[in-house]
Amino acid sequence: MSYAPILTAPQIERIRVFAKPRQVTAGEVLYDPNDDTPPVFIVISGQIKILAIGGGEERTVTTYGVGQFSGELLMISGRRSIYRCQTTEPGTLLELSARDLRTLIGKDAELSDVFMKAFLARRLSLRDTGSGNVVVLGSRYSANTLAIREFLTRDGHPFSYFDLDSDPMTQELLERFGVCTDDIPVVICNNVQVLRNPSAREVAECLGFNSDIDDSQVRDLLIVGAGPAGLAAAVYAASEGLDVLVVEKAAPGGQAGSSSKIENYLGFPTGLSGHELADRAIAQSEKFGAQIMVARTVKRLNCDQRPYSVTLDDGQEVPARSIVLATGAQYNKPSLPNLDVYTGKGIYYNATFMEAQLCAGEQVVVIGGGNSAGQAAVFLSQNTAGVLMLVRSGSLADTMSRYLIQRIEENPLIEVHYSSELTKLEGDGHLERISWIDKKSGEISAPFIRHVFVMAGASPKTAWLSECLSLDSKGFVLTGRDLEAVTPPIPWPLSRPPYMLETSLPGVFVVGDARSGNVKRVASAVGEGSIVLALVHQALAES
C-alpha cells in the first residue's frame, strides 16, 4: 500500500471545492474496520497511518504525509472499511466523502487518473501481502476452505490465510477464538466475529459487502451475472448515466475469471488473466456508479407485470425497468456418481494460482478440448510434474485456438489423449486414483492421480427462466430473429419485432454464453455487453 502520489497545490485547491477541512489531534482514530464507507483524507499538515487489524494484532500498513491521501478501492465501491486510519500527530486534513469523491472523479479527468491509479495499486498490494481485516484458518484438504479462499480472492478482498496442516500459529489462533478443527474453515472478521465453516454469503454479510445497496429501489437496469459480458454492460450503462445494479451469485469474473492467461484478447499482446480483466472492469464500472451485489443468487424472473423484478435467494424482490441476463454457462460435469464427493478435494473447475499450489510437483489431469482447457494445461505444466489432457473428440482443431494447440504440441510436459473419457474416481477423503477409457481401443488406464481439472463443454443453467423466456433445445436463451420460429411462453405484446439481443420478453436482454448462438470468446462477450446498451436505451424509451 506504499503507492502514495503527492498532490500538487492546484490539485489540492480543486479538491477543496468538494471536501471540508478537519483539525485533528495526535492519536485520533478517523475510522475503524467495518465502519460504513469512510472518506478519503488528504493531508494538509501532520501525518496519518493505516493499520491492519487481524489475528489479535495491529500492524502499520503505511503512513501518509503532507500532500498525500488515504483510501483504496472500497471508497469507490461503497463498501465498509477494512483498516483503521489514525493520526500520528496534530494537523489539518481535507475530508472527502465517498459520494463527493465519485462526483470529483466524474468531473476532473486528471484527478480521476490520480485517485484510480493509486487505489488500484494499493488494492493489488494489499491483496498480494494479505493485509486486511479477515483471517481464514483452514486446510488444503478442505473443499470449503478452497471455496472461501477462491471467493475472497476473486472478489479482490485481502485476507490472511493460515493452513492447519503446515502453520504452527494456527493452533494458537484456534484456541484464542475458542474454535476446534471440526469447524474449519474458520473465518475471523474484523478481529471480532468468528464464522465456523461459513458459506460465501455469510462471509459477504459479515464483511458488509452488500450493506450499501438498496435492493428495493427500482433500477434503470438490472444485470444478472458479473462475468465479462455483465461487467461490460455495467461499465457502458453506468457511464451513460443509468442507475445500474449487478447481481452475482459468487464473485465477479464469471467463467473467464478461472482462466490463468488470456492471450488472444485485443490490446494485450502479452496476455492477461481473467482475474485481472475482472478486477479492472469492476473498478471501472464502480467508478461510474454501478453497484455490484455479490454472493446472492437470482432464483426467479417475475415477468407478469412491469417494472419487472427478480427474486433473490432470501425472497427479496429487486425491481428494474430493464434487465440484462449475463448468467454465462457452467462446465459440464462428468457423469460419475461420486464426483461431488471430490469437488475441491481433487476435482476442480478453476485453474488459477491457488489450485496450482495444491498440486505442485504432482501429475495432473485436464479434461476438455476448448480454449479454457488449453490455457489450464499450459499454465499447470509450469507448476506440476506433467499434465495429461483427456479429450473426447479426435482433434483439437475445431474447438481450440491454433496458438494454444501449438503450445500444447510443443510442450514435453503435456500429453494429449484423444477419444478418451473419465470413468472412475477413487480415494479416501481426497481423490487418489482415476480411470479413463480410450473409446477407440477400449483400453482402460488407472493411474494414481490426485488432481483433475474439469473444463469440458458448458451448459447455461437457465431452467429458472423457462416460464418467461423462449429457450432452445439445449437451454440457451433465444433472441432477436431466432424467435420467429418459436412460440414464446408469453405472447409478444409489441408491434415491433424483438431487437437483436432481446429475448421473448420486451426489455429483457441476454448477452454472453447464455445466449443461443453465442461465440465462446471473452472478446465476444465483452462486445455483446457493450452493444446491448443501445438496445436497452431504445427499450427504456418505450416504457
Side-chain angles (χ1 to χ4, degrees):
M1 202 168 175
S2 58
Y3 187 80
I6 298 177
L7 297 166
T8 65
Q11 288 173 334
I12 291 175
E13 289 307 308
R14 299 207 301 275
I15 293 171
R16 284 185 189 275
V17 177
F18 298 89
K20 61 181 181 180
R22 176 169 173 174
Q23 302 297 318
V24 293
T25 58
E28 188 173 338
V29 175
L30 303 175
Y31 56 82
D32 266 325
N34 210 38
D35 284 353
D36 288 338
T37 310
V40 171
F41 289 101
I42 298 94
V43 182
I44 305 302
S45 65
Q47 186 184 68
I48 58 178
K49 64 180 177 180
I50 306 297
L51 298 163
I53 302 174
E57 299 178 350
E58 294 183 6
R59 182 175 65 83
T60 299
V61 176
T62 192
T63 59
Y64 299 118
V66 175
Q68 297 177 325
F69 56 89
S70 65
E72 52 101 26
L73 282 179
L74 67 88
M75 279 70 175
I76 301 296
S77 63
R79 290 187 175 181
R80 293 177 184 171
S81 61
I82 298 176
Y83 308 99
R84 171 175 292 167
C85 182
Q86 188 173 9
T87 62
T88 60
E89 54 187 74
T92 302
L93 309 175
L94 289 181
E95 182 176 323
L96 181 63
S97 71
R99 180 186 295 273
D100 289 331
L101 169 67
R102 286 192 288 271
T103 302
L104 172 64
I105 64 178
K107 294 183 175 181
D108 193 313
E110 181 189 15
L111 286 171
S112 174
D113 285 347
V114 171
F115 281 112
M116 292 304 296
K117 286 178 180 178
F119 290 171
L120 281 166
R122 291 171 184 177
R123 174 51 68 99
L124 290 173
S125 173
L126 293 167
R127 189 181 65 196
D128 291 343
T129 59
S131 300
N133 62 334
V134 182
V135 175
V136 179
L137 309 176
S139 167
R140 67 179 60 194
Y141 304 111
S142 162
N144 289 345
T145 296
L146 180 60
I148 294 300
R149 291 177 67 196
E150 285 181 339
F151 171 69
L152 290 170
T153 299
R154 292 182 67 166
D155 187 80
H157 194 92
F159 65 97
S160 300
Y161 174 65
F162 297 93
D163 195 300
L164 289 165
D165 305 302
S166 58
D167 197 320
M169 186 183 295
T170 52
Q171 190 58 46
E172 179 186 342
L173 286 171
L174 288 173
E175 293 174 357
R176 179 182 302 170
F177 289 97
V179 295
C180 63
T181 54
D182 291 339
D183 296 322
I184 63 169
V186 175
V187 178
I188 304 168
C189 306
N190 302 307
N191 207 36
V192 175
Q193 190 170 352
V194 178
L195 304 179
R196 294 166 168 81
N197 195 18
S199 65
R201 180 178 169 185
E202 288 171 327
V203 173
E205 289 176 351
C206 179
L207 296 171
F209 283 179
N210 304 320
S211 61
D212 196 43
I213 297 176
D214 179 3
D215 53 14
S216 64
Q217 177 182 340
V218 180
R219 308 281 175 161
D220 292 326
L221 177 61
L222 174 70
I223 300 171
V224 183
L231 289 173
V235 168
Y236 282 89
S239 69
E240 294 177 14
L242 297 186
D243 184 0
V244 181
L245 175 64
V246 183
V247 181
E248 167 56 44
K249 66 179 179 180
Q255 198 173 30
S258 66
S259 179
S260 55
K261 197 170 189 180
I262 305 167
E263 291 191 67
N264 59 350
Y265 192 74
L266 183 67
F268 293 88
T270 59
L272 79 166
S273 71
H275 194 161
E276 290 171 326
L277 178 64
D279 280 350
R280 297 175 187 184
I282 293 164
Q284 199 171 11
S285 65
E286 291 177 335
K287 165 188 170 180
F288 290 122
Q291 291 187 302
I292 301 178
M293 179 186 290
V294 299
R296 299 299 302 274
T297 301
V298 174
K299 291 293 188 180
R300 177 181 170 83
L301 171 61
N302 304 307
C303 51
D304 52 349
Q305 64 180 14
R306 300 192 72 167
Y308 302 126
S309 66
V310 298
T311 302
L312 302 182
D313 43 16
D314 64 349
Q316 173 67 36
E317 292 191 4
V318 182
R321 297 173 61 209
S322 63
I323 295 174
V324 168
L325 301 170
T327 52
Q330 299 177 13
Y331 290 121
N332 294 330
K333 296 182 178 181
S335 299
L336 297 174
N338 60 344
L339 181 72
D340 290 342
V341 173
Y342 299 110
T343 298
K345 302 177 183 179
I347 296 291
Y348 313 103
Y349 299 92
N350 298 306
T352 65
F353 177 72
M354 188 176 300
E355 289 82 13
Q357 288 180 304
L358 302 176
C359 50
E362 299 185 50
Q363 190 173 49
V364 304
V365 165
V366 173
I367 297 177
N371 276 5
S372 294
Q375 290 161 353
V378 172
F379 170 67
L380 291 167
S381 68
Q382 302 169 17
N383 304 36
T384 64
V387 178
L388 302 176
M389 290 190 71
L390 303 186
V391 182
R392 294 185 67 176
S393 67
S395 170
L396 294 174
D398 293 336
T399 55
M400 188 180 293
S401 296
R402 181 59 203 169
Y403 82 93
L404 277 173
I405 296 175
Q406 185 175 351
R407 293 268 182 88
I408 289 168
E409 291 174 343
E410 294 176 355
N411 192 326
L413 292 176
I414 301 177
E415 182 180 317
V416 183
H417 294 263
Y418 295 105
S419 302
S420 296
E421 187 173 345
L422 190 67
T423 57
K424 191 174 183 181
L425 303 172
E426 301 175 76
D428 183 10
H430 191 284
L431 182 64
E432 296 172 1
R433 187 172 186 168
I434 69 170
S435 299
W436 78 77
I437 185 171
D438 183 319
K439 292 182 290 183
K440 282 189 173 181
S441 66
E443 180 182 355
I444 294 178
S445 301
F448 287 96
I449 296 286
R450 302 179 66 252
H451 305 281
V452 174
F453 294 81
V454 179
M455 297 183 170
S459 299
K461 312 300 182 189
T462 53
W464 61 283
L465 296 168
S466 61
E467 294 182 4
C468 294
L469 307 182
S470 295
L471 311 178
D472 69 13
S473 60
K474 295 182 180 179
F476 293 91
V477 182
L478 292 166
T479 58
R481 297 194 63 177
D482 289 342
L483 290 165
E484 294 176 0
V486 300
T487 301
I490 300 174
W492 180 256
L494 305 180
S495 58
R496 68 162 177 85
Y499 295 129
M500 178 173 57
L501 298 173
E502 194 170 24
T503 69
S504 57
L505 202 61
V508 177
F509 301 83
V510 62
V511 294
D513 287 354
R515 185 180 65 81
S516 180
N518 71 84
V519 178
K520 291 179 172 58
R521 292 288 186 272
V522 173
S524 175
V526 171
E528 290 185 16
S530 304
I531 65 174
V532 75
L533 260 297
L535 309 175
V536 167
H537 279 302
Q538 293 181 57
L540 288 175
E542 298 169 349
S543 62

